[in-house]
Amino acid sequence: MTNPGIVTTTSTPQRLRRLRVGIVSALVLALVGAVSTFLVAHSAAVSVQSAVVPAQAAIADTWNLLHRVDVALSTCTTDPAAQRGRTDCAVVLANGEYHGQIAIAVQNLAVLAGLAVGDRADRQVIQVVQGLLIDHLGLVEQAHFHLGQGHALLAEAYLRYAGNLLRGSIHDQLLDFVGRIGAELARQRQTHDNAPALALLWLVPLLVAVGLLLGGQVWLTKRFNRWLNVPLATASVGLVALGVVAARPLWAGAALAESTDGVRALLDAGLPPSAPALGPDDHLVAVAATAARSFNLEYVMPVLAIVCLALVIVGFQRRLDEYGTRSG
């Protein structure tokens, strides 16, 4: 028959150390999983807020500016005798307002090219549009020149060419980029849709750590006749807090879903060839910003985990020291 004293002397310190190693290992895995999934989810939200939403807004603003230019140039007449309520093209071309609108459109395109939407090949579409706008402006300038020379029919032809270029190639290239924005949005939305599954990377080891910690405290209470181990009890509270913090992407998921759904609706509306485009409103911009807020949780989680690790080590070390003193 085994001597109980020998079993106690050899098994209790080993069990304490094994429990400590198990809890520490599970906690480290939970931290790595929590930080990784948080950074992935936060990156998706930031991409929507800082790239996708501004890109959609820039596209809509650009098209609306060009649409106003097109309306002004396509509805004017080069024949003052046949105006019938139409604006004289000579007046429209002379005031140069279209210059300013196209300049703003080019600035929008420059901002758009700097946003992290798609890859370099995707953003090369913007350079194509900029080149086409230069061609469009050249056609309008030719119309202005020939109208000044009294060549009304030639001026009208150049204006028609300019309008066809705007509603044709330029519109098609912008619409192509709308599709690329949609592809970027779909990638970020997929991250949101995968969030519950990714949460298992930290939730499972965290639950294991909590289970081991609570089970260990129950065993310690029976083994050492102590009702409370303050460091371990505090670590238990810390692990719960870590779980709440790590679940932030799940809590913020509603805002990210709302922002992606809102942008998707605008992208699906596209760029009407003969009408203004819809851009994100203030509410959509605010929702996207809310989803992208991190509250510095990527730093809070490691601090919480380190504190919990220290408490676990201290809590078990006290019992190891106490056991060694008793044995001695």
Side-chain angles (χ1 to χ4, degrees):
M1 181 172 161
T2 305
N3 188 329
I6 294 176
V7 172
T8 302
T9 301
T10 57
S11 65
T12 298
Q14 289 177 352
R15 188 169 182 179
L16 286 169
R17 292 188 180 95
R18 287 172 182 172
L19 268 174
R20 182 172 62 184
V21 170
I23 294 170
V24 168
S25 300
L27 182 52
V28 170
L29 288 175
L31 174 62
V32 172
V35 172
S36 299
T37 54
F38 176 84
L39 291 177
V40 169
H42 183 246
S43 175
V46 169
S47 178
V48 172
Q49 184 262 338
S50 64
V52 175
V53 172
Q56 202 284 329
I59 282 286
D61 288 345
T62 299
W63 177 247
N64 292 341
L65 284 167
L66 297 178
H67 175 66
R68 285 198 290 271
V69 171
D70 185 46
V71 169
L73 295 178
S74 62
T75 58
C76 69
T77 178
T78 57
D79 184 5
Q83 284 188 3
R84 298 179 183 177
R86 297 170 64 185
T87 307
D88 188 349
C89 287
V91 175
V92 174
L93 295 172
N95 66 28
E97 184 177 351
Y98 65 92
H99 268 289
Q101 292 173 327
I102 292 179
I104 295 173
V106 170
Q107 290 176 358
N108 286 345
L109 292 174
V111 171
L112 192 59
L115 297 175
V117 176
D119 53 24
R120 182 176 298 179
D122 292 331
R123 291 189 289 275
Q124 284 178 345
V125 173
I126 301 303
Q127 296 176 344
V128 174
V129 176
Q130 290 173 324
L132 291 173
L133 280 177
I134 294 174
D135 293 340
H136 175 272
L137 193 58
L139 291 171
V140 175
E141 292 295 348
Q142 284 293 325
H144 190 192
F145 170 77
H146 287 293
L147 193 59
Q149 298 296 313
H151 305 147
L153 291 178
L154 196 53
E156 185 176 350
Y158 274 108
L159 289 177
R160 190 182 307 113
Y161 296 152
N164 291 339
L165 179 62
L166 191 58
R167 292 185 296 274
S169 298
I170 293 175
H171 172 269
D172 292 344
Q173 291 294 331
L174 289 176
L175 196 59
D176 179 26
F177 197 77
V178 167
R180 296 166 192 256
I181 297 173
E184 180 70 24
L185 180 65
R187 284 193 290 271
Q188 307 309 337
R189 178 57 189 257
Q190 187 62 42
T191 300
H192 161 69
D193 293 339
N194 292 339
L198 291 174
L200 296 176
L201 292 176
W202 59 265
L203 184 58
V204 171
L206 184 64
L207 290 176
V208 170
V210 171
L212 289 175
L213 191 52
L214 293 178
Q217 289 179 85
V218 172
W219 176 74
L220 286 173
T221 299
K222 294 178 180 179
R223 179 68 186 82
F224 290 88
N225 295 320
R226 300 286 183 82
W227 284 105
L228 182 67
N229 184 312
V230 175
L232 296 185
T234 306
S236 300
V237 176
L239 288 181
V240 174
L242 179 60
V244 173
V245 171
R248 160 68 183 173
L250 299 178
W251 314 142
L256 181 57
E258 183 181 351
S259 64
T260 54
D261 289 345
V263 177
R264 170 51 60 193
L266 295 174
L267 294 175
D268 288 344
L271 302 176
S274 57
L278 296 175
D281 56 21
D282 292 341
H283 174 71
L284 179 55
V285 172
V287 170
T290 297
R293 294 175 67 184
S294 72
F295 299 100
N296 293 320
L297 295 185
E298 63 271 35
Y299 306 112
V300 172
M301 284 188 285
V303 170
L304 267 176
I306 290 171
V307 171
C308 290
L309 285 170
L311 289 170
V312 168
I313 292 171
V314 169
F316 277 99
Q317 190 61 44
R318 284 184 178 181
R319 292 296 174 259
L320 283 167
D321 294 342
E322 181 180 348
Y323 189 84
T325 301
R326 286 185 179 184
S327 299

